[in-house]
Amino acid sequence: MPIETNRLKLPLPLGNESVSRVGINAIFEKIDEGVATREDVEELRQLVNQMDIPDASLTQKGQVQLSSKTDGDREEVAATEKAVGLAFQSGVERKAEVVAALNSIGVTASTSETWAQLIPKIKTVIRATGNATGAQVLSGATFSNTSANGLTGTMANRGAGGTVTPGTANQAKAAGYYSSAITVMGDADLVAENILKGINIFGVAGTLVPGLLQQFASSIGVNGTTNGASVKNMVADIPTNKVTIFSSSTGMVLEAMTGNSSLSSDNTTFSGLTIADAANSAVSVGQAYSSGSGQSVLTYILTLVIEPANRRYRYSYYTQTDRTIRNSGWTNMQAGQDMNTLKLIHTAVVSGTNSYLSRSLINFPDTYMTQV
């Protein structure tokens, strides 16, 4: 059976066969038919150039441009060997960075691990949040915030809060952490009536006046009721065994005012303060007297001190026309005056035509009575 060549299937004579001219010619003819000439190649080239080959895309085959870029996003070019190598190297470097970051926070990782092995480890990492600073965290304790991990607190540990008892000087508790509440002692007696008037303790203004028995806040007397009225009113009892003191920052006001009328020219008004016993034996401690129409006289008693044991008294005063403060000095009680029945009396007298328009009063602005 004759042997043929692989491509053109030309007969190959066996070792015991002879080759004839006809056979050789047939082989050359077949060679001539199967070999392209230069003209055939040029024609083929022209035909290829005339072919309309579309650009390759994700949906069809076609011609494609090569690119070595590793940071592009085009989908109609093909990566070169260089681009693939750069991309691979970049991936290796990023993996090394991820591994280093995991190791820095205590997570065991290696570049020999695949991304499939590293990703679950990345998912277990809890991202630090918060804005705490070292001064806000107990000394020695570690913490993290959005800026860094593994930070250490600096806040001092002061232990139990304890108790603060107020004293005469300020007491400062050092800044830091206290494991229990800080108790500032209070006292139920810290009230205004237990603090001397004029003294302020922790914002509580005192109202206590030693020996204070009464604070006067009104007026007494006659205020235009009837013509020719004469009224006596008790202001206070005066005990025998104590010193009684009346005081006022502006003065107890003895007011004598006559009515303002054309028919009141003969009016007179008297407002007086006396110390009297049960038998009406009395001594004067200030008075105001006015006469005529529409007249007003004021006398201010600042202090009055009564000492029944020594049978004496003294007072200070001024008037609306003379602001000079005058002191009566110690003055003796009436001879025979009973020290056991003393009272402070206000006497109001109004007289004259239309005296009901007049006024005789004693007013007590900021007046106190104490006994010691």
Side-chain angles (χ1 to χ4, degrees):
M1 182 176 185
I3 300 174
E4 296 179 341
T5 60
N6 293 329
R7 293 183 63 230
L8 297 180
K9 304 302 181 181
L10 299 176
L12 296 175
L14 299 176
N16 58 356
E17 288 183 337
S18 58
V19 179
S20 66
R21 182 185 299 272
V22 174
I24 291 174
N25 289 340
I27 291 172
F28 282 133
E29 287 292 338
K30 199 166 186 177
I31 291 173
D32 185 68
E33 291 176 2
V35 176
T37 64
R38 187 183 300 237
E39 289 77 8
D40 293 336
V41 173
E42 180 61 24
E43 182 181 0
L44 179 61
R45 185 184 66 77
Q46 292 179 3
L47 291 175
V48 171
N49 288 338
Q50 294 174 3
M51 292 177 64
D52 185 15
I53 302 175
D55 292 337
S57 69
L58 296 177
T59 58
Q60 70 176 4
K61 299 177 181 179
Q63 61 182 354
V64 65
Q65 179 183 352
L66 299 180
S67 174
S68 295
K69 295 182 65 175
T70 59
D71 59 351
D73 58 2
R74 292 180 296 171
E75 296 181 329
E76 71 277 6
V77 297
T80 63
E81 180 181 357
K82 178 181 179 181
V84 173
L86 292 174
F88 177 78
Q89 181 61 31
S90 178
V92 170
E93 293 172 354
R94 297 296 83 75
K95 177 189 280 190
E97 292 172 356
V98 169
V99 168
L102 290 172
N103 290 337
S104 69
I105 59 174
V107 179
T108 301
S110 170
T111 55
S112 63
E113 294 179 87
T114 65
W115 284 109
Q117 293 172 309
L118 292 174
I119 289 175
K121 294 183 178 182
I122 296 173
K123 290 181 178 180
T124 63
V125 176
I126 300 175
R127 184 176 180 272
T129 59
N131 57 3
T133 64
Q136 297 170 325
V137 178
L138 196 61
S139 178
T142 58
F143 69 101
S144 300
N145 56 29
T146 54
S147 300
N149 297 317
L151 302 174
T152 302
T154 59
M155 181 191 300
N157 188 341
R158 305 297 182 185
T163 300
V164 177
T165 302
T168 57
N170 292 337
Q171 301 178 60
K173 297 287 284 186
Y177 168 78
Y178 293 89
S179 60
S180 62
I182 300 173
T183 302
V184 179
M185 297 294 290
D187 195 320
D189 291 330
L190 184 62
V191 291
E193 54 266 31
N194 290 337
I195 301 172
L196 285 175
K197 184 176 177 63
I199 302 297
N200 187 302
I201 299 179
F202 298 127
V204 180
T207 60
L208 175 65
V209 177
L212 176 65
L213 294 180
Q214 184 177 355
Q215 178 178 0
F216 299 90
S218 61
S219 61
I220 57 176
V222 175
N223 188 12
T225 55
T226 60
N227 289 339
S230 178
V231 178
K232 291 185 178 183
N233 289 298
M234 185 186 74
V235 176
D237 282 310
I238 309 300
T240 304
N241 60 347
K242 291 186 178 181
V243 176
T244 300
I245 304 170
F246 295 87
S247 61
S248 173
S249 59
T250 57
M252 296 179 284
V253 185
L254 291 168
E255 179 184 11
M257 185 200 77
T258 55
N260 187 8
S261 169
S262 60
L263 300 176
S264 302
S265 60
D266 63 339
N267 282 359
T268 61
T269 303
F270 173 81
S271 178
L273 197 60
T274 59
I275 305 171
D277 62 10
N280 291 323
S281 177
V283 292
S284 175
V285 291
Q287 64 181 23
Y289 176 83
S290 66
S291 63
S293 175
Q295 301 299 311
S296 178
V297 176
L298 302 175
T299 298
Y300 301 86
I301 309 298
L302 292 172
T303 60
L304 170 59
V305 182
I306 305 171
E307 292 185 0
N310 295 319
R311 300 185 62 85
R312 65 180 184 174
Y313 67 97
R314 68 187 298 171
Y315 62 95
S316 59
Y317 69 97
Y318 65 94
T319 68
Q320 71 191 88
T321 58
D322 185 356
R323 309 295 289 186
T324 302
I325 297 176
R326 302 184 184 280
N327 196 318
S328 68
W330 286 112
T331 305
N332 292 328
M333 297 289 189
Q334 291 276 18
Q337 196 171 6
D338 185 2
M339 296 295 103
N340 294 314
T341 61
L342 295 180
K343 298 180 185 298
L344 186 64
I345 302 294
H346 175 256
T347 301
V349 179
V350 293
S351 64
T353 306
N354 289 341
S355 59
Y356 69 90
L357 296 175
S358 301
R359 182 168 64 234
S360 174
L361 299 172
I362 181 170
N363 300 296
F364 304 101
D366 193 30
T367 301
Y368 297 88
M369 180 180 72
T370 60
Q371 293 176 344
V372 293

